[in-house]
Amino acid sequence: MSISYGFHATMTAQPGKGDDLVDFLLASPSLANEDCVVFLIGRSATASDIVHVTEGWTTEEAHHRFFATAEAQALVAQLQPLIVGEPAYLDEVPVGGKAAI
């Protein structure tokens, strides 16, 4: 399957809430969306409240279409109390590699 749009986000959980943030993200409906073909959650090795998300989508339009849904908007609203400040986003276009977890 081809991936033409992706991004990497870094979020800082409220102090001591890194596990809660990870659990919340791993329950994301993005995992069930057929257009989201990469959804990886990682943590900083030195700061457990810093969480990284890498997503790869079939198209940028599919990503925007998903995040325009009521379900995704509710997800974003529920995410806000778990994090400090705004996530840092970097757009990317995955070009290859491997993920096995």
Side-chain angles (χ1 to χ4, degrees):
M1 180 167 295
S2 176
I3 301 170
S4 67
Y5 177 75
F7 68 87
H8 180 79
T10 299
M11 303 173 202
T12 301
Q14 294 287 342
K17 298 293 184 180
D19 288 340
D20 294 340
L21 178 56
V22 167
D23 291 345
F24 177 81
L25 292 168
L26 289 174
S28 169
S30 294
L31 288 170
N33 188 300
E34 66 184 28
D35 289 310
C36 182
V37 295
V38 175
F39 189 81
L40 299 173
I41 308 298
R43 292 177 96 156
S44 167
T46 58
S48 63
D49 288 335
I50 296 177
V51 177
H52 305 287
V53 179
T54 301
E55 292 188 26
W57 290 77
T58 54
T59 66
E60 185 173 0
E61 294 76 24
H63 173 262
H64 293 305
R65 192 171 46 249
F66 171 74
F67 276 95
T69 66
E71 180 181 32
Q73 291 304 307
L75 174 79
V76 171
Q78 293 169 347
L79 174 67
Q80 294 308 311
L82 293 173
I83 63 174
V84 175
E86 292 295 318
Y89 289 96
L90 296 172
D91 288 346
E92 65 183 15
V93 177
V95 295
K98 178 180 174 179
I101 295 181

